[in-house]
Amino acid sequence: MRILHTSDWHIGRTFHGNSTMDALADVFGALTAQVQEHSVDVVIVAGDVFDSATPAGPAYTLLGDTLAALHDTGARVIVTSGNHDSAARLGFQARLLRDGIHVVTDPLSIGEPITVDDADGPVHFYGIPYLEPAIVRQHWEGVALRTQAQTMAHAMGLVRAGMASHDGRSVAIAHCFAAGVDATVGLEREVRQGGLDVVPLEVFDGPDYVALGHIHGRQNISERVRYAGAPLHYSFGEQHKERGSWLVDLDASGLANVEWLALPVPRRLVTLTGTLDEILAAANVAAHADDWVCAVYTDALPQAEPMRRLKERLPHCAMVQHAPTLTAESEERSYAARLKSAVTDTERIEAFLEHVRAGQGPSERESELIREVLDERVVAEALV
């Protein structure tokens, strides 16, 4: 059996205020073509189908069109809910969907497999919707469910119980943060700090393959436990990470092969660093006019209307950051040390300007203005 593992579609998410709907539609078209080309039997979407619990109408339209296109290839489709999804909204029409499209959002269905047969016998797919401990503990009285680790351990116990009563190969689908994830691959923005939400790897023992969602970069936690990541770049921090899906082959004895299928990137993401004039240089404009651009300009002083100036030359500039280059002197001497050594008000003001302007003190004209203001203050105090 051939399975395509994808996740974290986040239909409806914007990219720095820009819609991603058209880009996602293009990527989903490419994904559907891969399903057709590689004769995929089952497509898995491991959570975060939508970006919001209340998606707008066009998000439903894109999802419906994509599921229908995938179904038309002859593949079965299994979708589970993620932390961004409203289980009720995602799953409300599950019973009305055409045969071969399955949406798993009910915690009480864990342990009840979706079974797909091939020449080697049945393969049982166990979908685990996103489980928020405080919400789902009502379903299992007497079970300690205070953390994601405890909740996922209980869910996988239900999966293994289902496996014990259903002979054949098995695949589990979940949306969580598993121990062993490389934090540099693009973590989901709501992943919490600390260890409460980390699920130990041994929790996933049992199935032949575990398809995970929740982080936005591909990751193989083990040979049989993997993340596919998001199909589109949703932040500049993800710009160097490939987008795609895992193509998983099961033979009669279980997991046989896993291959990465890259997806096209509709618009590249680049970060340009330098002075504002350097970023606006003709070479950068020619090379990156069609890219999403994050501009990090290093001028000592903030520049006037940098976004407007950048978008005139780089129409897809989405983000601007001011990161002045520190001088050796400003790095060696802290603001507190400079302020402590200052004797006069003029020196205190100069120390403050050096601190907020990466070591650049007042210009000659600014020094004149400072002296004028301080002289006026002295005169005013003398007249009181």
Side-chain angles (χ1 to χ4, degrees):
M1 181 170 294
R2 178 158 282 182
I3 302 163
L4 191 76
H5 166 201
T6 178
S7 71
D8 293 273
W9 288 2
H10 286 282
I11 302 174
R13 176 173 287 194
T14 58
F15 180 77
H16 294 278
N18 300 279
S19 172
T20 62
M21 296 292 281
D22 289 343
L24 264 180
D26 291 344
V27 171
F28 289 158
L31 185 144
T32 302
Q34 290 177 342
V35 170
Q36 182 79 53
E37 177 186 353
H38 294 277
S39 301
V40 171
D41 300 297
V42 178
V43 177
I44 290 172
V45 186
D48 278 356
V49 179
F50 293 122
D51 189 57
S52 166
T54 56
Y60 284 103
T61 301
L62 179 55
L63 175 61
D65 291 346
T66 302
L67 293 180
L70 290 171
H71 181 268
D72 288 344
T73 66
R76 302 278 285 271
V77 184
I78 302 174
V79 180
T80 61
S81 54
N83 59 301
H84 277 250
D85 299 309
S86 162
R89 286 187 172 88
L90 181 62
F92 86 98
Q93 58 181 349
R95 288 178 293 180
L96 305 178
L97 291 171
R98 67 187 72 182
D99 183 48
I101 300 177
H102 310 269
V103 179
V104 181
T105 60
D106 183 4
L108 296 179
S109 69
I110 299 172
E112 300 174 6
I114 297 164
T115 301
V116 181
D117 293 302
D118 67 2
D120 296 314
V123 178
H124 306 294
F125 293 84
Y126 295 89
I128 303 174
Y130 180 73
L131 302 174
E132 182 62 47
I135 296 175
V136 302
R137 65 169 64 109
Q138 62 176 318
H139 298 305
W140 300 294
E141 292 185 9
V143 181
L145 301 178
R146 291 185 297 275
T147 67
Q148 275 283 308
Q150 291 173 328
T151 307
M152 189 58 63
H154 179 68
M156 284 301 300
L158 297 174
V159 168
R160 283 186 284 271
M163 292 169 55
S165 58
H166 295 83
D167 292 334
R169 297 153 292 167
S170 58
V171 174
I173 308 162
H175 194 86
C176 64
F177 184 43
V181 167
D182 178 357
T184 66
V185 298
L187 291 181
E188 173 53 60
R189 62 189 177 193
E190 279 79 22
V191 171
R192 301 172 188 163
Q193 298 298 316
L196 289 180
D197 285 335
V198 176
V199 180
L201 181 58
E202 59 267 20
V203 165
F204 301 106
D205 288 348
D208 295 289
Y209 183 78
V210 180
L212 296 180
H214 199 34
I215 67 169
H216 289 183
R218 69 175 183 178
Q219 187 97 167
N220 51 320
I221 307 302
S222 73
E223 187 62 25
R224 41 174 289 282
V225 181
R226 296 172 184 255
Y227 287 94
L232 200 65
H233 291 115
Y234 288 116
S235 73
F236 282 101
E238 302 171 13
Q239 68 188 70
H240 301 300
K241 310 302 179 183
E242 281 194 79
R243 305 288 86 169
S245 314
W246 291 113
L247 187 65
V248 181
D249 287 318
L250 300 182
D251 60 17
S253 60
L255 184 64
N257 185 60
V258 183
E259 176 186 352
W260 178 253
L261 292 184
L263 284 168
V265 176
R267 191 182 301 282
R268 290 191 310 159
L269 280 67
V270 298
T271 299
L272 302 180
T273 302
T275 66
L276 192 58
D277 286 342
E278 290 170 345
I279 294 173
L280 290 170
N284 279 333
V285 172
H288 303 295
D290 294 326
D291 298 337
W292 288 122
V293 173
C294 171
V296 181
Y297 73 94
T298 58
D299 301 70
L301 301 180
Q303 300 297 295
E305 301 184 278
M307 179 60 89
R308 179 190 62 78
R309 294 168 62 187
L310 285 158
K311 289 184 77 69
E312 286 177 352
R313 306 291 304 279
L314 296 162
H316 302 292
C317 182
M319 186 177 182
V320 178
Q321 296 178 340
H322 181 217
T325 302
L326 296 177
T327 64
E329 180 182 358
S330 65
E331 289 181 320
E332 290 174 2
R333 294 184 62 204
S334 68
Y335 173 54
R338 290 197 300 270
L339 194 60
K340 187 176 181 179
S341 64
V343 176
T344 66
D345 287 342
T346 300
E347 291 174 340
R348 294 187 183 96
I349 294 172
E350 290 174 348
F352 173 76
L353 290 176
E354 290 177 8
H355 173 63
V356 299
R357 303 200 303 199
Q360 181 167 323
S363 65
E364 183 176 342
R365 177 54 183 153
E366 289 171 336
S367 295
E368 292 176 2
L369 290 173
I370 291 169
R371 286 194 298 271
E372 290 175 9
V373 171
L374 292 178
D375 289 344
E376 290 175 1
R377 189 197 68 177
V378 171
V379 172
E381 290 176 347
L383 294 175
V384 173

